């Protein structure tokens, strides 16, 4: 049977944690078709949180508690909890869940079921049908929650995922959590770490599933979320968003330099008295050499091609794929001009380059030349 450990940070939650053990551990978990454990991560609460959990663990072998150490903040609690769940409890999957009943215990079962059906990462989502945020929240709070999510979704380019900041999730250990770098988690002291966890989990997951979550309002005490936390969350999203696109940005830069080389080259060769066709030919080849070299030592430096034989082969291959780009341009350019008129040739050029030539080149570089992408079926064959 699969072992699922619910990692539950709790800080001064004695009332909640008492109820949580009664309702989650004693009522909900036995109904789930997996070996379910609760691991409370306390941060030296000033109330009875630790005492209550320790007491409960004496009569239940699936209740555990650890102290997160001297670093305070939710992310640190999860780092300590995940590590303990994997190394000490032998978890096959870990869950993130709050102790304050904002994640009602009845939603644990559908999350675990999605995992048992093959999901690598399960997201308890407030923004899909069936999910919700508290009706009693003020309009502004609702707006912030919704808009913040939308913003992160756009920045990270994750349109298929609807809730990127939820605190209710499940992560498979093998192949996902064990590939994640918990020691370098961004903003571990803040809520913002959630976005970095999500980012890493999605990167390593083949199957991501969202399950509806009715996010309840907090019954006891006040939320620790505030503007500072929100700004930190956006910051993490933006940094990760850029990091993800950095190769594409370099590719674009090299492409632009190539264009300049081509542009200046034509004039230089023409000035040297070369025939027009030859001037274009030489300038184009110069741009190709420029693009190959810069992409090789910069854009794709992690997959750099070296050695004389390999370089010659790859460079010839690069010329062939570049000819493909040229072909696309010389077929769709005139076609577009016929459609919208020669007055808009600049628009045609822009559209053809941005929508066709750039994606084509990027695809070829990643798939054929530097082979940094693997097709899904190739991935399977290698694994
Ligand atoms: N051990 C430990 N240490 N636990 C903590 C700490 C800490 O420093 N800070 C908070 N907790 C525990 C709380 O006791 C609670 O169980 C849980 O973490 C969530 O804290 P809340 O203060 O209730 O967070 P929230 O309701 O404002 O935020 C929720 O929504 C956010 C945005 O959607 C959480 O679900 C967040 O995870 C989520 O990002
Ligand atoms: Mn809460």
């Amino acid at each position: 049977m699969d072992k699922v450990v619910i990692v539950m940070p709790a800080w001064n939650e004695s009332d909640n944690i008492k109820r949580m053990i009664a309702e989650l551990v004693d009522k909900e978990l036995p109904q789930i078709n997996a070996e379910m454990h609760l691991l409370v991560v306390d941060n030296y609460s000033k109330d009875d949180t630790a005492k209550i959990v320790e007491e409960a663990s004496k009569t239940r072998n699936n209740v555990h508690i650890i102290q997160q150490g001297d670093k305070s903040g939710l992310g640190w609690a999860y780092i300590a909890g995940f590590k303990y769940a994997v190394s000490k409890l032998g978890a096959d999957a870990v869950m993130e869940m709050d102790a304050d009943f904002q994640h009602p215990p009845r939603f644990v079962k559908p999350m675990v079921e999605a995992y048992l059906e093959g999901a690598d990462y399960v997201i308890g989502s407030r923004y899909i049908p069936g999910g919700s945020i508290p009706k009693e929240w003020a309009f502004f709070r609702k707006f912030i929650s919704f808009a913040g999510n939308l913003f992160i979704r756009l920045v990270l380019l994750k349109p298929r995922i609807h809730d990127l900041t939820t605190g209710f999730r499940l992560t498979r250990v093998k192949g996902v959590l064990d590939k994640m770098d918990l020691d370098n988690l961004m903003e571990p002291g803040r809520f913002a770490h959630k976005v970095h966890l999500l980012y890493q989990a999605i990167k390593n997951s083949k199957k991501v599933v969202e399950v509806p979550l009715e996010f309840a309002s907090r019954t006891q005490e006040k939320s620790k979320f505030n503007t500072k936390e929100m700004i930190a969350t956006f910051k993490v999203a933006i940094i990760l968003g850029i990091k993800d696109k950095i190769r594409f940005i370099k590719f674009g830069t090299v492409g632009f330099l190539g264009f300049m080389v081509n542009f200046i080259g034509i004039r230089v060769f023409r000035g040297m008295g070369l025939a027009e066709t030859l001037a274009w030919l030489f300038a184009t080849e110069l741009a190709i050499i420029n693009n190959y070299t810069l992409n090789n030592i910069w854009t794709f430096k992690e997959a750099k091609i070296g050695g004389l034989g390999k370089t010659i082969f790859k460079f010839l291959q690069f010329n062939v794929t570049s000819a493909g780009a040229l072909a696309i341009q010389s077929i769709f350019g005139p076609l577009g001009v016929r459609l919208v008129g020669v007055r808009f040739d600049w628009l045609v050029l822009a559209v053809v380059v941005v929508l066709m030539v750039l994606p084509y080149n990027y695809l070829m570089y990643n798939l054929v030349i530097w082979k940094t992408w693997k097709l899904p079926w190739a991935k399977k064959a290698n694994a």
Side-chain angles (χ1 to χ4, degrees):
M1 211 176 349
D2 279 71
K3 189 184 257 188
V4 179
V5 177
I6 301 171
V7 178
M8 182 177 283
W11 191 52
N12 297 337
E13 301 274 13
S14 56
D15 294 343
N16 281 324
I17 211 76
K18 193 174 203 145
R19 254 182 75 209
M20 190 54 84
I21 285 161
E23 289 183 28
L24 176 71
V25 178
D26 294 345
K27 286 208 195 95
E28 272 303 317
L29 299 190
Q31 295 177 43
I32 298 173
N33 195 18
E35 190 185 327
M36 299 295 302
H37 288 253
L38 174 69
L39 170 62
V40 174
V41 187
D42 182 26
N43 191 14
Y44 303 106
S45 293
K46 290 179 193 73
D47 63 6
D48 284 341
T49 302
K51 223 176 95 192
I52 291 165
V53 182
E54 268 154 25
E55 203 55 46
S57 71
K58 282 181 191 151
T59 50
R60 299 166 184 82
N61 55 19
N62 63 340
V63 174
H64 318 266
I65 180 165
I66 57 167
Q67 294 294 336
Q68 75 185 66
D70 52 6
K71 300 214 179 68
S72 88
L74 203 53
W76 291 112
Y78 277 117
I79 294 171
F82 286 168
K83 286 184 174 173
Y84 188 90
V86 173
S87 66
K88 296 285 185 334
L89 303 177
D92 297 305
V94 293
M95 283 186 76
E96 290 156 67
M97 186 175 179
D98 293 352
D100 59 359
F101 282 89
Q102 290 198 268
H103 303 146
R106 69 193 145 98
F107 290 102
V108 172
K109 192 175 181 197
M111 300 272 287
V112 176
E113 277 168 354
Y115 158 73
L116 293 174
E117 279 159 21
D120 298 301
Y121 193 50
V122 188
I123 299 170
S125 178
R126 300 161 293 180
Y127 300 111
I128 56 170
S132 59
I133 50 177
K135 285 174 193 63
E136 53 275 29
W137 271 10
F139 172 77
F140 185 67
R141 180 128 189 238
K142 282 182 184 158
F143 174 78
I144 287 290
S145 177
F146 181 78
N149 243 296
L150 198 65
F151 176 77
I152 298 169
R153 219 167 138 195
L154 286 175
V155 170
L156 286 181
L157 275 185
K158 297 275 177 270
R160 293 216 293 273
I161 291 161
H162 301 79
D163 196 339
L164 299 105
T165 54
T166 177
F168 192 42
R169 304 185 292 210
L170 180 149
T171 311
R172 183 184 293 276
V173 172
K174 193 163 173 270
V176 186
L177 187 74
D178 59 11
K179 293 243 170 71
M180 287 163 59
D181 182 8
L182 296 176
D183 293 317
N184 293 303
L185 194 64
M186 289 164 77
E187 296 285 354
R190 297 190 177 282
F191 287 91
H193 76 276
K194 291 264 167 225
V195 176
H196 197 196
L197 280 180
L198 172 112
Y199 174 88
Q200 295 192 54
I202 288 176
K203 211 160 215 161
N204 293 301
S205 295
K206 287 198 190 76
K207 190 175 174 194
V208 178
V209 174
E210 272 183 298
V211 170
L213 162 71
E214 286 175 37
F215 194 55
S217 59
R218 203 177 218 276
T219 42
Q220 324 261 333
E221 280 198 62
K222 233 186 87 199
S223 153
K224 298 163 190 87
F225 197 80
N226 56 37
T227 322
K228 242 188 190 157
E229 301 291 345
M230 196 174 71
I231 291 169
T233 304
F234 289 162
K235 198 186 88 186
V236 169
I238 291 168
I239 290 173
L240 293 174
I242 292 173
K243 210 180 214 163
D244 229 18
K245 278 112 217 146
I246 217 132
R247 177 165 280 162
F248 191 77
I249 293 167
K250 287 179 177 177
F251 158 83
T253 310
V254 171
F256 180 72
L257 279 172
F259 170 80
M260 297 298 284
V261 167
N262 206 332
F263 184 83
I264 296 167
I266 291 169
R267 277 154 185 78
V268 170
F269 290 126
R270 208 187 266 144
M272 285 163 61
L274 255 66
E276 191 65 11
T277 316
L278 271 186
W280 276 76
L281 199 73
F282 283 168
T284 307
E285 193 54 39
L286 210 58
I288 289 175
I289 293 171
N290 166 84
N291 288 7
Y292 178 81
T293 312
L294 290 183
N295 278 322
N296 193 41
I297 61 173
W298 190 44
T299 318
F300 293 93
K301 64 167 184 281
E302 291 83 4
K304 188 149 72 198
I305 296 153
L308 189 64
K310 198 117 198 260
T311 301
I312 292 172
F313 172 73
K314 280 288 168 186
F315 180 66
L316 289 177
Q317 207 179 33
F318 191 81
N319 272 272
V320 174
T321 62
S322 301
L326 228 60
I328 292 175
Q329 215 160 303
S330 43
I331 290 169
F332 290 96
L335 217 71
V337 167
R338 253 179 48 200
L339 220 69
V340 297
V342 74
R343 259 180 53 215
F344 294 109
D345 62 347
W346 55 273
L347 186 68
V348 171
L349 184 65
V351 169
V352 169
V353 165
V354 171
L355 291 187
M356 302 173 96
V357 173
L358 286 184
Y360 164 83
N361 273 335
Y362 201 56
L363 202 74
M364 286 298 150
Y365 294 1
N366 277 293
L367 276 182
V368 180
I369 307 292
W370 284 280
K371 292 186 187 294
T372 38
W373 288 349
K374 285 189 176 65
L375 294 165
W377 49 90
K379 209 180 197 172
K380 229 178 208 166
N382 284 343

